[in-house]
Amino acid sequence: FVNFKATDSWLSDQVSIINYDPKLGIKIEEKKTIIIDYSSPNVAKRMHVGHLRSTVIGDALARILTYKGHQVIGENHIGDWGTPFGMLIEHFLESEDMNVDDIDLENFYKDARYKFDNSEDFANRSRKRVVKLQSKESESIELWKELVDISLLHFNEVYDMLNVLLNDENLAGESIYEEILPEVVQRLDDQGMLVESNGALVVFPEGWVNRENEPLPLIIRKGDGGYNYATSDLACIINRVENIGGTEFLYVVGAEQSQHFDMVFQVARQANFMDDSVKSVHIPFGLVVGTDGKKLASRDGEAISLKDLLEESIIRANQSILKKNPMMEESEREKISRMIGIGSVKYADLSVDRNKNYVFDWEKMLSFEGNTAPYLQYAHARICSIFRKASTNKEKFENNKILVTNENEAKISRILLSFSDSLDEAIGNYAPHRLAVYLHKLAQEFASFYENCPVLVYYSESIMNSRLALCSLTARTLSTGLNLLGIDSPERM
């Protein structure tokens, strides 16, 4: 073994360089055009807790990759086309006293589905309505647009609460690919890849078999002439390669879709829709479960509304802050409660390996102790309070020389120097929890540094300024890291 030890003077030089660097010493990579497909709710339905993981994991990856210098394009592949819309439009037309603006997204889809499953006449009319929609019949298109618009109001309200980067400019719903679906079929046919199977047109990717060890098909066009999800995803790839010029495609979609994406990617490469210069990755994730270990749901077994969940978290954060700081002004408490409430929900997700299920536990995620958002946010606020006590601001010390004179200063300097590595680990594994682990370690080490290295006790001007610079750099790193996870850093708590 060969052991190397960094000297205090070397650490001092290196951490000072990072302190001078507004990007905190990160390694800039060769710029890529990366398209991240995430969130993807369905029109005419409320966003529920099942949409949480895709939304926050995708958003964190988009932020980190952008910070690293890449051109990142977020695409929200919403479900806004296809068979269900015949059912939804017919249900709306039957509800004579219903105005589009008054649609209750909690029950609208559910009621339409019930009628579709229990009334043959309604189901037949719904199927005919799909044909009208696909043929661009004016009334059907107008009602479809109204359903999409009312849904977007809800989606954007949730995205605003979550502080994610998605907006209407990121919409890339199924409807925008509808016109090129026949082209997908034609291109596959030209390659000699299509096979007729029970009236449907399918592709049999090599190596895929079902439980009976028979070739497993990827359905491209159903027997009734309709298209499948695979067709839409293949159309997406064509558009992202030929029109956008993407070099890397990331799909933040649940683990249950792994087989689907593996087959789609294989067919796309076989059909030359994308070549080896394009990287396509499915980024799966586990479920959100309750403290009972079961899939998180309401008392009646329904999926929990994401908006309701976030509002509940803000209320609980407000109550927690009121106990901790009863003299805080109400307006400030409400502002901070929102930061903590939303941050707690997001960090509880992002701080665990995305491949695993995670337990949604109110008490744990809102705690000011342990690996939680409030703990990290409080660490940042605590550093800000140091500068208020010193009657100065932390920005003043961003270009200050840092002197490493003892082991506590050396330990926190070493962690500060590894910020760039934590981002590389998060990107290399598409794992935001690697950054979360780093931030928690940094906050813990700062607590030890602050306990053992008095900052505002005067030894010499150079030592005091150096320690204030370490405080400033730690606060900047915490704030930057939390921001890359889409979490705010309050200056008071």
Side-chain angles (χ1 to χ4, degrees):
F1 295 95
V2 178
N3 294 320
F4 293 89
K5 182 178 180 181
T7 63
D8 288 349
S9 61
W10 185 87
L11 280 175
S12 175
D13 290 341
Q14 297 305 309
V15 78
S16 294
I17 290 172
I18 288 180
N19 196 36
Y20 303 148
D21 184 356
K23 298 287 283 187
L24 300 173
I26 68 162
K27 307 179 189 79
I28 301 297
E29 300 174 356
E30 182 180 349
K31 186 174 182 179
K32 304 174 186 174
T33 299
I34 302 173
I35 299 169
I36 306 183
D37 188 323
Y38 66 106
S39 193
S40 307
N42 289 316
V43 164
K45 289 184 178 180
R46 293 189 310 169
M47 290 185 71
H48 56 76
V49 70
H51 295 112
L52 177 63
R53 302 212 71 184
S54 175
T55 304
V56 301
I57 293 170
D59 188 68
L61 290 174
R63 289 170 180 269
I64 295 170
L65 287 163
T66 299
Y67 189 76
K68 288 284 288 184
H70 300 295
Q71 180 187 5
V72 178
I73 301 170
E75 287 202 350
N76 192 359
H77 192 68
I78 62 172
D80 67 345
W81 197 254
T83 304
F85 282 89
M87 172 185 81
L88 294 168
I89 292 172
E90 283 301 311
H91 173 54
F92 177 77
L93 290 172
E94 280 193 354
S95 308
E96 296 181 358
D97 59 341
M98 184 184 291
N99 186 287
V100 172
D101 295 334
D102 299 327
I103 287 177
D104 175 10
L105 294 179
E106 181 174 3
N107 297 308
F108 183 73
Y109 188 96
K110 190 190 307 180
D111 293 344
R113 171 56 67 180
Y114 179 84
K115 288 162 68 173
F116 187 87
D117 292 340
N118 291 277
S119 170
E120 186 175 347
D121 179 60
F122 179 82
N124 288 332
R125 283 187 283 114
S126 296
R127 294 186 184 99
K128 291 178 182 177
R129 179 63 63 176
V130 173
V131 176
K132 292 180 181 180
L133 184 63
Q134 291 176 337
S135 62
K136 303 296 190 297
E137 189 259 342
S138 59
E139 181 189 36
S140 299
I141 289 294
E142 183 178 348
L143 289 171
W144 167 76
K145 287 180 177 177
E146 290 180 346
L147 287 174
V148 171
D149 288 344
I150 196 70
S151 301
L152 291 181
L153 290 175
H154 168 70
F155 297 163
N156 289 333
E157 186 177 13
V158 174
Y159 293 146
D160 182 63
M161 291 183 73
L162 278 172
N163 186 28
V164 297
L165 302 173
L166 293 173
N167 55 43
D168 288 353
E169 293 181 0
N170 300 104
L171 292 175
E174 295 170 356
S175 62
I176 71 172
Y177 303 109
E178 189 264 340
E179 292 185 357
I180 65 172
L181 297 182
E183 182 183 340
V184 173
V185 177
Q186 186 62 53
R187 289 196 189 191
L188 292 172
D189 192 36
D190 291 343
Q191 295 274 353
M193 296 173 61
L194 286 181
V195 177
E196 186 175 341
S197 176
N198 297 321
L201 292 178
V202 307
V203 175
F204 288 102
E206 185 178 351
W208 292 93
V209 295
N210 60 22
R211 292 178 180 176
E212 287 73 38
N213 206 36
E214 298 170 338
L216 186 66
L218 185 69
I219 300 174
I220 302 301
R221 194 176 71 193
K222 294 181 286 187
D224 62 5
Y227 299 102
N228 219 356
Y229 289 122
T231 328
S232 178
D233 285 329
L234 289 168
C236 278
I237 290 172
I238 291 172
N239 180 65
R240 290 167 181 174
V241 171
E242 298 180 7
N243 297 328
I244 300 177
T247 54
E248 190 167 324
F249 307 150
L250 309 181
Y251 296 77
V252 187
V253 184
E256 68 278 3
Q257 295 296 320
S258 291
Q259 177 178 293
H260 167 80
F261 282 110
D262 285 346
M263 294 178 74
V264 166
F265 296 158
Q266 185 173 331
V267 169
R269 293 192 186 282
Q270 186 179 344
N272 296 316
F273 294 171
M274 60 179 177
D275 59 27
D276 292 340
S277 68
V278 177
K279 185 178 182 181
S280 55
V281 183
H282 173 220
I283 300 173
F285 50 84
L287 300 173
V288 184
V289 300
T291 52
D292 58 0
K294 298 179 180 178
K295 190 174 181 178
L296 190 64
S298 62
R299 291 181 180 178
D300 58 5
E302 297 290 332
I304 297 174
S305 160
L306 187 48
K307 180 184 175 185
D308 291 347
L309 184 99
L310 297 174
E311 289 177 342
E312 173 72 12
S313 189
I314 293 170
I315 291 170
R316 288 173 179 259
N318 194 314
Q319 294 170 345
S320 178
I321 295 172
L322 185 60
K323 290 180 181 178
K324 194 174 183 67
N325 192 349
M327 302 305 293
M328 182 180 289
E329 291 186 8
E330 183 177 356
S331 59
E332 186 174 11
R333 188 174 72 248
E334 289 179 354
K335 178 182 177 182
I336 296 173
S337 297
R338 188 179 183 90
M339 293 182 182
I340 293 175
I342 301 299
S344 296
V345 171
K346 296 176 78 170
Y347 191 83
D349 187 315
L350 295 169
S351 61
V352 298
D353 186 334
R354 60 171 169 78
N355 291 295
K356 299 178 181 178
N357 296 344
Y358 83 90
V359 178
F360 192 94
D361 184 332
W362 284 118
E363 184 175 349
K364 180 180 178 182
M365 69 174 55
L366 286 164
S367 173
F368 283 80
E369 298 178 358
N371 188 14
T372 66
Y375 176 78
L376 297 181
Q377 290 169 318
Y378 182 72
H380 179 266
R382 184 183 185 188
I383 297 173
C384 293
S385 71
I386 294 171
F387 290 92
R388 287 194 295 273
K389 290 177 183 177
S391 300
T392 186
N393 62 75
K394 59 183 182 294
E395 290 75 21
K396 177 181 175 182
F397 298 88
E398 288 183 3
N399 294 314
N400 205 86
K401 174 73 174 179
I402 293 175
L403 303 175
V404 176
T405 63
N406 60 42
E407 184 57 25
N408 292 108
E409 293 170 337
K411 284 182 179 179
I412 195 166
S413 294
R414 282 193 286 265
I415 293 177
L416 288 165
L417 287 170
S418 62
F419 175 67
S420 182
D421 291 337
S422 75
L423 296 188
D424 291 342
E425 289 179 7
I427 291 172
N429 297 280
Y430 306 107
H433 80 279
R434 301 292 183 92
L435 174 57
V437 168
Y438 166 82
L439 294 174
H440 182 237
K441 186 177 180 181
L442 175 61
Q444 287 181 310
E445 194 57 55
F446 177 80
S448 177
F449 160 76
Y450 189 63
E451 181 179 350
N452 292 285
C453 299
V455 174
L456 299 181
V457 175
Y458 188 83
Y459 293 106
S460 69
E461 185 175 357
S462 61
I463 292 294
M464 179 179 285
N465 287 344
S466 172
R467 290 179 177 176
L468 284 170
L470 272 172
C471 291
S472 174
L473 180 55
T474 302
R476 187 152 47 108
T477 306
L478 283 171
S479 177
T480 300
L482 285 171
N483 180 260
L484 293 177
L485 297 177
I487 298 172
D488 289 321
S489 304
E491 296 197 353
R492 297 175 185 270
M493 283 178 68

